RNA sequence: UGGGGGAUCGUCUAAUGGCAGGACGCAAGACUCUGACUCUUGCUAUCAAGGUUCGAAUCCUUGUCCCCCAGCCA
């Protein structure tokens, strides 16, 4: 990378530095990435992954991948697999530290009994509606449940019978006994356990009661000996409950007060033109607006991977946007920049004509093939080179010819000259049109002395265009992807309006008749290239032996396009 | 109208009482067998008003605006 990455000194790192300076937890740093396995990971999760695993790396600690699988109603094995794949693909390794909150269900249950014995939790018979009623509203204290003062014995008996499956779903809960008058709703006797007869991906039918997030998450952190528990801003209000859960029974679960975790919150990252709402992404998939969770237009890790975004670009983007507490709405242009910067370094250059226009070089004999040497990268000779075949019969990009070009158009027009990339200068002698007046073929001559290595007088022409020999090229389908949404903030709609009205109708352009140079034959899905003068592309898994399928990751910057919009 | 957070170029971020800096973006130019890359130059900011101080983005006071919270979701 040409520029030095900014040295990271965000507020979380400052806290850790301070903890180490004071010898807190013997300087140990342990984090975790705690996804719920109920959907695909998206770019917002990438930020958290990059932070948590990055911290572990920078401070020589550990980072656990822990699934917070406390709600089997929405969770699925499919997501457990895809999430692991995505984290690994992003370049992070949890080593032996793969965990599930469900690994701790026994310990959490025991802890809950401990809470009851300490008089800090009770079994409630209220329905959720009744509970909401008593919870109160902002500025008004809630009211205590009529069951709040049951005896320890009765609570213990009821809780054990909840576990044994004696009561129907939703009929009873275990609640913490904290403070119904707290201005913080999370502290108004929050529910700790609910009854839910739902097979669990990991524990099957062993449990009919499941712990709630706040409780299970805090205990899981403490059990794993997490040091810095990092989450997003909306959990700031939950921190008192996090602390309460860990501290309610001193010494429980072997937790050393000097080693207990602390929660820190940072701002979520939103990106313009993208959505990170799980619900909305799911809707796009279910309404078949996109082809699936890994549609290249999706802001999911899987989608962007299929789009051809390199993992290194993702990490760079997360680093560059930083970690702070003010809401982030990052411009997608920065992501595009990170992608281009990475791909400029790493992607081999090739020539592909996406919208072919037939060109005949009448000064080359039919059947003659001229082999030209073309480096794979303009500034990195280590990437080597390949031969490209030039012949009489070519295609060029439709947009590289204009019948009546404006002054600043450097490409082909009647009587104009242009250089074929890595090849000779050609001149457009005649234009062939069909009955409808459409340009169907260009007849050109070439200047043999302008051939690379021909030793002729060096001639300069302003325009250089890419091309492919028709007989040597291979059939290719090009999928030009663009932004899925047409507006910077697609989630921002009037009450009652559908966010899908913000979709970009031109987010996918399929070009089935593209022609790629022969060197692309046999390319494997995931391989990235720069199509010269066009953009960065990746081989799609839909590729078949007789047809290459290429997805556009991002276009090259295009100052000609900008010039055109000036008028 | 309760509680919890947050406000620095258009966007993201730095500064930790001592020159408001960087990146993206945008503009102009140079270079170029990619109208790419690269390079040069330029553009624009401390929410407001008071106060403390030799000196304030930073400390204090009072406002303003924005975000989150009333799931048996996470």
């Amino acid at each position: 990378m040409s520029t030095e990455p900014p040295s990271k000194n965000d507020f979380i790192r400052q806290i850790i530095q301070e903890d180490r300076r004071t010898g807190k937890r013997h300087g140990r740093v342990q984090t975790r990435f705690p996804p719920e396995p109920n959907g695909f990971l998206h770019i917002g999760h990438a930020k958290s992954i990059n932070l948590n695993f990055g911290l572990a790396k920078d401070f020589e600690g550990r980072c656990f991948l822990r699934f917070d699988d406390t709600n089997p109603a929405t969770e699925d094995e499919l997501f457990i697999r895809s999430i692991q794949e995505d984290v690994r693909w992003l370049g992070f390794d949890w080593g032996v530290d793969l965990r599930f909150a469900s690994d701790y269900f026994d310990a959490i249950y025991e802890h809950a009994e401990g809470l009851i014995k300490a008089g800090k939790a009770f079994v409630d018979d209220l329905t959720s509606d009744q509970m909401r009623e008593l919870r109160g509203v902002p500025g008004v204290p809630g009211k205590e449940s009529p069951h709040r003062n049951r005896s320890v014995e009765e609570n213990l008996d009821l809780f054990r019978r909840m576990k044994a499956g004696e009561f129907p779903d939703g009929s009873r809960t275990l609640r913490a006994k904290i403070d119904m008058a707290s201005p913080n709703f999370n502290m108004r006797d929050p529910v700790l356990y609910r009854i839910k007869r739902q097979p669990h991906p990991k524990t099957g039918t062993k449990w009919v009661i499941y712990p709630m997030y706040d409780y299970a998450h805090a205990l899981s952190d403490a059990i794993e000996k997490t040091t810095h528990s990092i989450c997003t801003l909306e959990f700031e209000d939950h921190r008192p409950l996090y602390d309460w859960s860990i501290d309610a029974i001193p010494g429980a679960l072997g937790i050393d007060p000097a080693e207990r975790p602390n929660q820190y919150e940072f701002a979520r990252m939103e990106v313009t033109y993208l959505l990170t709402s799980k619900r909305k992404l799911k809707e796009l998939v279910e309404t078949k607006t996109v082809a699936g969770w890994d549609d290249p237009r999706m802001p999911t890790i899987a989608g962007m991977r299929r789009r051809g975004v390199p993992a290194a670009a993702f990490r760079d983007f997360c680093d560059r946007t930083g970690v702070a507490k003010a809401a982030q709405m990052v411009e997608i242009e920065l992501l595009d920049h990170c992608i281009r910067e990475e791909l400029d370094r790493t992607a081999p250059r090739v020539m592909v004509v996406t919208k072919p226009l037939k060109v005949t070089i009448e000064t080359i004999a039919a059947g003659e093939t001229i082999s030209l040497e073309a480096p794979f990268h303009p500034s990195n000779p280590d990437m080597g080179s390949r031969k490209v075949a030039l012949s009489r019969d070519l295609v060029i990009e439709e947009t590289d010819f204009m019948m009546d070009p404006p002054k600043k158009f450097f490409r082909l027009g009647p009587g104009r000259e242009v250089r074929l990339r890595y090849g000779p200068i050609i001149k457009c002698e005649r234009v062939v049109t069909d009955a409808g007046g459409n340009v169907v073929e260009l007849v050109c001559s070439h200047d043999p002395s302008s051939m690379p290595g021909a030793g002729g007088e060096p001639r300069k022409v302003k325009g250089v265009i890419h091309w492919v020999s028709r007989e040597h090229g291979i059939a290719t389908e090009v999928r030009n992807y663009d932004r899925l949404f047409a507006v910077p903030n697609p989630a921002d709609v009037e009450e009652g309006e559908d966010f899908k009205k913000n979709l970009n109708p031109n987010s996918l352009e399929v070009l089935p008749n593209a022609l790629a140079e022969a060197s692309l034959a046999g390319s494997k899905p995931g391989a990235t290239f720069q199509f010269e003068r066009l953009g960065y592309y990746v081989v799609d898994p839909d590729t078949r032996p007789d047809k290459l399928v290429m997805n556009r990751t991002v276009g090259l910057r295009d100052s000609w396009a900008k010039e055109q919009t000036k008028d």
Side-chain angles (χ1 to χ4, degrees):
Chain A
M1 220 147 295
S2 55
T3 52
E4 201 63 26
S7 62
K8 295 181 231 172
N9 190 32
D10 53 75
F11 76 96
I12 303 226
R13 271 167 240 263
Q14 289 181 34
I15 288 165
I16 293 177
Q17 299 278 17
E18 180 63 11
D19 287 348
R20 300 193 119 193
R21 200 186 60 75
T22 59
K24 192 170 177 181
R25 302 189 200 89
H26 312 289
R28 201 168 54 85
V29 173
Q30 185 177 311
T31 56
R32 94 274 92 105
F33 173 61
E36 185 190 15
N38 71 346
F40 277 72
L41 258 26
H42 56 62
I43 188 161
H45 295 111
K47 181 105 180 182
S48 173
I49 294 166
N50 189 253
L51 213 209
N52 280 296
F53 280 94
L55 252 16
K57 185 184 261 180
D58 293 354
F59 293 98
E60 293 157 325
R62 291 158 79 179
C63 180
F64 285 50
L65 173 61
R66 186 183 71 232
F67 287 94
D68 270 350
D69 54 349
T70 56
N71 185 5
T74 61
E75 295 158 8
D76 196 281
E77 180 68 34
L78 161 74
F79 300 122
I80 294 175
R81 281 197 304 271
S82 74
I83 288 170
Q84 292 186 57
E85 195 183 329
D86 289 348
V87 174
R88 217 177 275 123
W89 176 80
L90 274 171
F92 298 104
D93 182 8
W94 52 85
V96 298
D97 297 323
L98 175 66
R99 300 287 191 284
F100 294 82
S102 55
D103 293 342
Y104 313 129
F105 279 176
D106 286 312
I108 295 169
Y109 175 82
E110 288 304 317
H111 187 269
E113 283 207 356
L115 247 23
I116 293 170
K117 290 171 189 158
K120 294 189 175 189
F122 67 100
V123 171
D124 204 349
D125 302 353
L126 258 31
T127 65
S128 52
D129 285 344
Q130 291 169 321
M131 221 180 270
R132 186 178 316 118
E133 198 66 30
L134 294 185
R135 191 152 31 222
V137 291
V140 181
K143 296 188 180 69
E144 294 184 351
S145 166
H147 310 106
R148 197 178 200 260
N149 293 313
R150 291 215 246 237
S151 69
V152 168
E153 293 67 31
E154 189 183 1
N155 278 321
L156 216 43
D157 174 61
L158 253 14
F159 187 49
R160 286 172 180 166
R161 288 164 62 193
M162 278 170 63
K163 182 193 180 208
E166 290 188 28
F167 310 119
D169 285 13
S171 62
R172 285 195 162 88
T173 56
L174 181 74
R175 295 179 72 182
K177 205 184 280 188
I178 307 180
D179 179 10
M180 287 308 290
S182 171
N184 181 345
F185 282 96
N186 295 301
M187 300 301 270
R188 318 248 260 223
D189 291 4
V191 172
L192 265 21
Y193 265 92
R194 75 285 215 189
I195 305 171
K196 200 174 275 224
R197 281 176 181 72
Q198 185 77 233
H200 185 284
K202 301 299 289 186
T203 61
T205 54
K206 176 177 176 186
W207 296 90
V208 296
I209 58 172
Y210 293 98
M212 297 290 288
Y213 162 83
D214 285 300
Y215 183 52
H217 185 86
L219 293 187
S220 300
D221 278 352
I223 291 167
E224 287 173 1
K225 302 197 188 307
T226 298
T227 57
H228 302 264
S229 178
I230 297 160
C231 60
T232 42
L233 246 35
E234 68 269 29
F235 292 104
E236 250 166 341
D237 284 350
H238 296 238
R239 199 189 323 138
L241 180 52
Y242 180 91
D243 291 336
W244 182 93
S245 298
I246 292 170
D247 300 333
I249 310 174
L253 300 168
I255 299 164
D256 174 352
E259 291 282 328
R260 55 149 289 176
N262 284 114
Q263 175 180 302
Y264 301 98
E265 309 87 8
F266 72 100
R268 268 176 190 283
M269 176 181 68
E270 304 278 356
V271 182
T272 57
Y273 296 95
L274 301 184
L275 277 178
T276 47
S277 149
K278 233 177 230 179
R279 205 208 90 231
K280 292 193 175 78
L281 294 179
K282 195 169 176 224
E283 188 177 333
L284 292 174
V285 172
E286 283 173 354
T287 57
K288 306 232 187 284
T289 305
V290 295
W293 286 101
D294 69 341
D295 185 296
R297 291 165 294 182
M298 290 286 272
T300 51
I301 307 288
M304 298 186 111
R305 176 167 64 227
R306 189 163 176 185
R307 173 90 169 236
V309 177
F314 251 114
R315 283 184 249 118
D316 187 33
F317 178 64
C318 292
D319 287 343
R320 289 204 202 205
T321 51
V323 179
K325 297 198 76 162
Q328 288 188 334
M329 177 63 86
V330 182
E331 290 175 335
I332 199 167
E333 285 81 357
L334 180 59
L335 210 213
D336 289 344
H337 170 82
C338 293
I339 296 169
R340 288 193 185 107
E341 187 173 80
E342 176 65 16
L343 257 15
D344 177 56
R345 255 182 60 228
T346 58
R349 271 57 170 172
V350 293
M351 293 196 289
V352 176
V353 173
T354 61
K355 297 175 190 171
L357 170 63
K358 181 174 157 61
V359 170
T360 301
I361 311 291
E362 59 181 356
T363 46
I364 297 178
E368 185 184 350
T369 297
I370 301 166
S371 183
L372 299 166
E373 184 80 12
F376 277 119
H377 196 281
S379 58
N380 182 3
D382 291 347
M383 289 176 75
S385 64
R386 81 288 188 189
K387 301 280 192 197
V388 286
L390 175 66
S391 64
R392 180 183 174 91
D393 204 8
L394 312 177
V395 288
I396 66 165
E397 208 68 55
E398 212 176 76
T399 49
D400 283 340
F401 172 83
M402 277 181 97
M403 202 61 192
D404 186 19
K407 48 264 145 233
K408 284 185 179 169
F409 186 78
F410 306 146
R411 284 105 99 148
L412 226 36
R416 288 197 178 209
E417 282 190 321
V418 81
R419 183 180 287 279
L420 293 182
R421 179 77 162 146
Y422 307 121
I425 292 171
I426 60 168
K427 182 176 183 184
C428 178
E429 305 286 357
R430 291 192 305 285
V431 179
V432 182
T433 53
D434 65 10
N438 303 303
V439 177
V440 293
E441 182 186 353
L442 268 25
V443 178
C444 302
S445 60
H446 84 292
D447 173 4
S449 75
S450 68
M451 201 67 96
E457 265 176 67
R459 290 178 59 202
K460 278 197 187 297
V461 286
K462 194 77 178 165
V464 178
I465 65 171
H466 61 281
W467 53 277
V468 173
S469 165
R470 289 223 293 171
E471 61 181 283
H472 299 93
I474 55 179
T476 301
E477 174 175 311
V478 166
R479 298 175 180 169
N480 279 340
Y481 290 101
D482 200 350
R483 291 169 184 163
L484 222 207
F485 291 95
V487 299
N489 189 359
D492 185 22
V493 290
E494 296 292 316
E495 187 70 30
E497 274 189 325
D498 187 351
F499 74 96
K500 295 204 291 304
K501 83 177 177 103
N502 289 328
L503 284 163
N504 173 9
N506 308 117
S507 61
L508 171 59
E509 179 190 29
V510 179
L511 303 167
N513 302 315
L515 206 62
E517 65 167 70
S519 75
L520 260 69
S523 297
K524 297 282 173 291
T528 58
F529 297 93
Q530 185 199 94
F531 291 0
E532 293 211 49
R533 305 208 305 130
L534 296 176
Y536 296 99
Y537 286 77
V538 65
V539 181
D540 189 84
D542 285 349
T543 291
R544 299 180 307 274
D546 62 327
K547 187 128 188 173
L548 197 56
V549 177
M550 303 288 308
N551 300 329
R552 181 170 69 192
T553 308
V554 63
L556 252 29
R557 290 187 56 171
D558 188 351
S559 54
W560 166 238
K562 249 180 217 173
E563 184 70 35
Q564 283 172 299
T565 59
K566 278 182 184 172
D567 305 315

